[in-house]
Amino acid sequence: MSTVSLKLQKRLAASVLKCGERKIWLDPNEINEISLANSRRNIARLHRDGLIIKKPVVVHSRARVNLRNEAKRKGRHTGIGKRRGTANARLPFKVLWMRRIRVLRRLLRKMRDAKKIDKHIYHSLYLLAKGNQFKNKRVLLETIHSMKTVKAQEKALAEQAVARKGRAKARLDRKAARAEKKDEDVDPSN
């Protein structure tokens, strides 16, 4: 018994069901009925009846990929032998710089707005940050504290100097007044 060619039916079914011919299943028990279908409408009717079926998509599991990615998150499989790009290609130096400078500038802005540093200290530190002076936030904070203490000391010294000058002037005034009084006391006797 020669087998009937169902090439036409397979092609039409692929077109009707919008898939490839390899995804079409033709019921082997109903070959004679399927072979009579020579139009798209007939093929659609056979599909409704279940004689022609669109096979499900073949599973392409990502389980192994997910497992490996989980391990990579923990830091596995990232040694020197697994690296293809340069360090700069994997994480650009520019990105690191941008992250760091934004952190430093944000801190400076916050401290200036909170009146913890004045605009002069802000400006000098801003330029130093731009010049790659601070490798992280901690170093910048240490510098800010040291600058503030130096400024406070200078202010205290200036106030002391002003007070000392004031006292010296008062002493001189008193001396001059005493000398004047002495002169007055001496003059009436003449």
Side-chain angles (χ1 to χ4, degrees):
M1 183 184 161
S2 63
T3 56
V4 184
S5 172
L6 299 174
K7 255 176 116 174
L8 169 72
Q9 284 75 6
K10 202 162 233 192
R11 180 174 64 76
L12 290 176
S15 177
V16 169
L17 302 182
K18 294 188 172 62
C19 63
E21 288 182 28
R22 65 197 287 268
K23 289 287 177 202
I24 299 298
W25 177 83
L26 304 173
D27 193 339
N29 301 324
E30 305 289 344
I31 286 177
N32 292 330
E33 198 177 333
I34 293 172
S35 66
L36 296 173
N38 58 0
S39 69
R40 289 166 196 275
R41 180 169 287 175
N42 291 345
I43 294 289
R45 182 173 51 75
L46 291 175
H47 173 60
R48 276 198 303 277
D49 296 344
L51 274 60
I52 296 177
I53 296 174
K54 180 180 178 181
K55 289 184 196 169
V57 175
V58 176
V59 173
H60 183 182
S61 174
R62 284 192 60 80
R64 286 184 298 279
V65 177
N66 293 338
L67 200 67
R68 194 173 181 82
N69 287 344
E70 186 106 2
K72 273 194 169 182
R73 272 197 290 281
K74 291 179 181 170
R76 318 285 187 268
H77 316 294
T78 53
I80 290 172
K82 290 287 177 190
R83 299 178 195 172
R84 295 299 296 273
T86 61
N88 191 29
R90 289 162 66 85
L91 182 58
F93 305 149
K94 186 174 181 180
V95 170
L96 292 173
W97 164 260
M98 276 161 33
R99 280 182 195 165
R100 190 176 59 169
I101 200 73
R102 281 174 184 170
V103 166
L104 298 178
R105 285 177 178 171
R106 197 180 306 126
L107 176 70
L108 284 173
R109 249 198 324 276
K110 207 159 78 176
M111 293 193 86
R112 182 190 62 184
D113 294 343
K115 300 280 191 288
K116 288 187 178 165
I117 56 174
D118 61 359
K119 63 180 182 181
H120 305 292
I121 290 181
Y122 169 85
H123 187 63
S124 60
L125 288 175
Y126 187 97
L127 293 177
L128 286 175
K130 185 182 179 181
N132 200 17
Q133 201 76 21
F134 313 115
K135 73 172 185 176
N136 55 34
K137 208 157 129 178
R138 181 178 54 79
V139 177
L140 176 58
L141 278 169
E142 284 172 8
T143 309
I144 288 172
H145 292 318
S146 65
M147 281 181 90
K148 279 172 78 175
T149 53
V150 166
K151 197 148 192 162
Q153 284 172 353
E154 284 176 359
K155 194 177 179 187
L157 286 172
E159 284 173 1
Q160 284 175 10
V162 167
R164 203 177 294 119
K165 279 182 182 170
R167 283 200 300 274
K169 193 173 188 305
R171 202 181 304 119
L172 284 171
D173 289 347
R174 279 200 305 274
K175 205 171 189 182
R178 218 179 290 126
E180 212 173 278
K181 197 175 183 192
K182 208 180 236 182
D183 289 349
E184 282 176 13
D185 289 347
V186 172
D187 283 346
S189 64
N190 287 343

